[in-house]
Amino acid sequence: TYTAQAWAVTHLGELAHYTYWYDHPPLGWLQIAGYTQLTGAFDRWDIAVLAGREAVLVAALISVVLLWALARRLGMSRGAAAAAGLLFALSPLAVQFHRTVYLDNVAVPWLLLAFFLATNRRGQLAAFAGSAAAFGIAVLTKETFLLALPILIWVMIRASRKETRRYTLSVAGSILVLIGGSYLLLAAVKGEL
């Protein structure tokens, strides 16, 4: 389904190959469409779903790198961080689900990036703003990722400096609301709110 929607974006100029009805925000398959457009993936494969699988494979590889970097930032040794990345990439469940074109697979790198940036101790304003933007993209890719918001807030509170906490969290919250509001704006512009 998501490969077909990505194909519709690149070949038909529409959000879906059927009437778009807000079952999911379109950012997930827009990212897949962007990847396939940049790399010519639809032209390289005889079966369109293989182009989508290629896109989620790239997302999985990015996720492994981000998971390793996050584990290192949290104080894990190189070996433990590598083991976490390998477990994420090669566990039987991962092998099954990482090759399927799910919006979750596209959203995971954004979620990991949000947590990686939220744990930054230097340049917190920019890091927290980037974290909020990455989290907003993750949520607009797969809306159920919103369930991670309380954990992200907790991480940001714990990582922030006391003297700038109010400001950095306010900026991050504002960015997240603006990104989330863009989905409502899309519906309003199309007259479908």
Side-chain angles (χ1 to χ4, degrees):
T1 300
Y2 304 122
T3 301
Q5 290 170 316
W7 185 88
V9 169
T10 60
H11 290 78
L12 303 177
E14 300 286 334
L15 283 179
H17 55 289
Y18 53 85
T19 303
Y20 177 64
W21 58 285
Y22 299 92
D23 55 340
H24 294 292
L27 192 53
W29 60 86
L30 286 173
Q31 291 174 70
I32 296 170
Y35 174 83
T36 59
Q37 192 73 16
L38 285 173
T39 63
F42 282 129
D43 298 329
R44 272 198 316 277
W45 297 100
D46 292 338
I47 302 170
V49 77
L50 295 177
R53 283 184 173 180
E54 182 182 315
V56 296
L57 173 64
V58 170
L61 293 174
I62 292 168
S63 295
V64 169
V65 171
L66 284 168
L67 183 60
W68 182 86
L70 179 60
R72 290 292 293 150
R73 182 168 281 173
L74 294 176
M76 295 176 81
S77 68
R78 283 188 180 103
L86 286 173
L87 182 64
F88 175 79
L90 300 176
S91 72
L93 191 60
V95 170
Q96 169 63 33
F97 285 106
H98 286 250
R99 58 183 239 150
T100 308
V101 186
Y102 287 139
L103 297 178
D104 309 74
N105 292 336
V106 180
V108 165
W110 293 107
L111 183 67
L112 289 170
L113 179 61
F115 279 100
F116 178 75
L117 292 172
T119 56
N120 189 6
R121 298 291 290 165
R122 285 183 261 152
Q124 277 196 333
L125 182 60
F128 279 22
S131 176
F135 186 75
I137 293 169
V139 170
L140 288 183
T141 300
K142 179 70 174 186
E143 66 279 359
T144 55
F145 278 52
L146 189 60
L147 295 171
L149 181 61
I151 300 164
L152 183 64
I153 292 169
W154 179 76
V155 167
M156 284 182 164
I157 289 171
R158 296 224 8 158
S160 63
R161 290 187 205 95
K162 188 175 183 178
E163 60 273 5
T164 59
R165 183 174 295 147
R166 278 179 137 179
Y167 183 68
T168 54
L169 292 176
S170 297
V171 168
S174 299
I175 289 171
L176 186 57
V177 167
L178 285 172
I179 290 173
S182 67
Y183 186 49
L184 297 174
L185 184 62
L186 170 70
V189 166
K190 291 179 72 179
E192 298 169 348
L193 187 61

